[in-house]
Amino acid sequence: MQYIDLRSDTVTKPTPEMREAMAEAEVGDDVYGDDPTVNRLQELASEMMGKEAALFVPSGTMGNLLALLVHCQRGDEVIVGNQSHIYLNEAGGMSALGGIQACPISNQSDGTLALEDILAYIRTVDVHHPITRLVCLENTQNICGGVPLKPVYTRQVAELAHQNGLLLHIDGARIFNSAVAQNISVKDLVGPADSVMFCLSKGLVAPVGSMLVGTHKFIARARHIRKMLGGGMRQVGVIAAAGIISLEKMVNRLEEDHLRARKLANGLRQVKGLAVDKDSPYTNMVYLNLADDLTLNSKQVSEKMRELGVLVDAENARRFRLVTHYWIDDVAVERTVSAFEEALN
Ligand SMILES: Cc1ncc(COP(=O)(O)O)c(C=O)c1O
């Protein structure tokens, strides 16, 4: 069966154009810095993000981990959202591999960390305290609804961090969704940050890979630690070739995914038994709950949906997140709404 897969934008398979570029990619040993396709991807990424340098990494998780390991020493503390991917879903890498301690503070419903909370949790200099070194923001903030953080807010956080001797890292797994949704340049969103990770393998459709950007010095150190972690990838131009197409051709079309997410949400609002979050979607993620009076739980509903040819991921016993992407067209949106109707009624 050909499934409609709304579990995540990570499920996107490469386009025929990407597969062709991958087959024909000019390659070299990237550990020597000799892969021309990787070098081109890194130049393109640093230029688009307005940063000095970029590094191709196998995953967003590794990109975030490298940033943490470069910015922090063992025993340092990092202020992160308690709903952030870095805190919840990266297998505790910062503490296991870096000896870094997370200081989780509440994400507000709009995905932000309150400035007063950040300030309150910066440690004072005291022999008893860890040193607060870094603040991490997530843009778009996934669990809060795929919500885009605004450039003015990011600037305020960066100013606060820098005034207090801290650095700012952005987990921008979906930073282009944020920029497109706000109709602004991605440079405006990440300008004040010291480092940014963003993913090619999500809404930008590449099969593998993420980018880490920052200063030359930061990227040189990240390259060293990437090697230490076993992430030196040799003739990796084979996959970087798809990433170049992501950056050149897949950014502007993200608006289509946002439009379809809105259509999907509007359709699902008509389905008895579902309660779509009030302001959802902000970008390509639709969040919804099963209505209180529905006896089915989300596992049972997702099993029924699978039988009807639609894959959806349950967030918990009552909640779903549906993600639109390149391979979800208007027909898929309509079929999803009808499948929910059939599964619930
Ligand atoms: C917000 C966010 N950051 C980081 C990541 C990690 O990316 P990867 O799955 O490539 O490790 C994800 C993955 O879904 C994510 O949603």
Side-chain angles (χ1 to χ4, degrees):
M1 187 190 283
Q2 184 82 28
Y3 286 104
I4 295 167
D5 195 343
L6 292 156
R7 290 172 300 169
S8 178
D9 44 13
T10 57
V11 302
T12 44
K13 293 178 182 157
T15 63
E17 187 185 4
M18 284 179 173
R19 289 180 190 268
E20 200 176 311
M22 291 166 79
E24 289 170 6
E26 206 185 329
V27 296
D29 189 332
D30 181 52
V31 174
Y32 289 105
D34 280 352
D35 190 306
T37 308
V38 174
N39 292 342
R40 200 146 50 86
L41 172 63
Q42 290 176 167
E43 276 161 29
L44 188 57
S46 58
E47 194 190 298
M48 285 174 84
M49 304 299 274
K51 300 291 178 196
E52 286 176 14
L55 187 69
F56 187 41
V57 291
S59 66
T61 300
M62 188 189 279
N64 283 333
L65 177 63
L66 292 177
L68 289 156
L69 294 178
V70 175
H71 290 314
C72 303
Q73 304 293 312
R74 297 185 73 76
D76 285 350
E77 197 166 65
V78 174
I79 294 177
V80 283
N82 66 352
Q83 300 301 312
S84 67
H85 197 275
I86 289 181
Y87 180 59
L88 294 175
N89 291 321
E90 300 192 358
M94 74 164 95
S95 61
L97 302 171
I100 301 160
Q101 175 165 303
C103 173
I105 65 176
S106 294
N107 279 101
Q108 306 298 303
S109 56
D110 64 359
T112 61
L113 306 177
L115 296 173
E116 53 275 25
D117 287 351
I118 298 176
L119 193 57
Y121 280 93
I122 298 173
R123 303 282 192 155
T124 53
V125 178
D126 184 307
V127 74
H128 301 87
H129 295 172
I131 296 169
T132 313
R133 191 74 70 182
L134 184 68
V135 180
C136 295
L137 294 177
E138 186 175 305
N139 192 0
T140 60
Q141 214 300 341
N142 182 342
I143 291 180
C144 295
V147 57
L149 305 187
K150 297 187 173 71
V152 59
Y153 167 73
T154 310
R155 219 171 306 123
Q156 286 169 337
V157 174
E159 272 168 24
L160 179 62
H162 294 155
Q163 278 161 6
N164 286 278
L166 316 186
L167 298 167
L168 172 64
H169 171 70
I170 298 180
D171 172 351
R174 298 180 180 82
I175 196 78
F176 286 104
N177 292 88
S178 181
V180 165
Q182 300 182 73
N183 199 18
I184 54 175
S185 149
V186 75
K187 283 185 192 165
D188 293 340
L189 272 183
V190 303
D194 299 283
S195 57
V196 185
M197 183 286 292
F198 69 92
C199 295
L200 302 167
S201 63
K202 297 192 166 65
L204 300 184
V205 193
V208 182
S210 295
M211 306 301 303
L212 183 63
V213 299
T215 62
H216 286 300
K217 191 170 169 216
F218 168 83
I219 290 296
R221 182 70 187 133
R223 173 181 283 278
H224 190 195
I225 302 176
R226 185 189 66 173
K227 187 77 183 80
M228 189 191 293
L229 296 174
M233 296 184 289
R234 309 298 178 186
Q235 288 75 32
V236 71
V238 167
I239 47 179
I244 291 172
I245 294 173
S246 292
L247 291 182
E248 288 181 339
K249 304 211 171 153
M250 294 293 167
V251 170
N252 290 334
R253 65 149 306 285
L254 290 171
E255 181 53 29
E256 283 179 38
D257 298 343
H258 300 172
L259 209 67
R260 290 205 175 94
R262 287 201 286 277
K263 274 191 190 164
L264 180 60
N266 289 340
L268 295 176
R269 285 196 167 94
Q270 312 308 317
V271 177
K272 196 164 159 283
L274 294 180
V276 177
D277 284 12
K278 189 168 151 283
D279 295 320
S280 189
Y282 300 94
T283 51
N284 66 334
M285 295 179 176
V286 179
Y287 275 90
L288 54 127
N289 288 311
L290 296 175
D292 292 340
D293 56 359
L294 195 83
T295 48
L296 293 170
N297 63 35
S298 50
K299 187 156 176 275
Q300 292 163 324
V301 172
S302 56
E303 274 160 19
K304 283 182 172 230
M305 291 293 285
R306 176 182 278 273
E307 285 163 20
L308 295 166
V310 183
L311 302 181
V312 293
D313 230 4
E315 293 286 293
N316 63 34
R318 308 296 298 169
R319 190 162 175 77
F320 290 102
R321 182 195 72 170
L322 312 179
V323 186
T324 55
H325 52 76
Y326 184 85
W327 296 107
I328 300 297
D329 58 12
D330 290 331
V331 175
V333 168
E334 283 159 24
R335 278 182 51 200
T336 302
V337 174
S338 331
F340 266 112
E341 283 275 11
E342 197 176 331
L344 300 187
N345 298 300

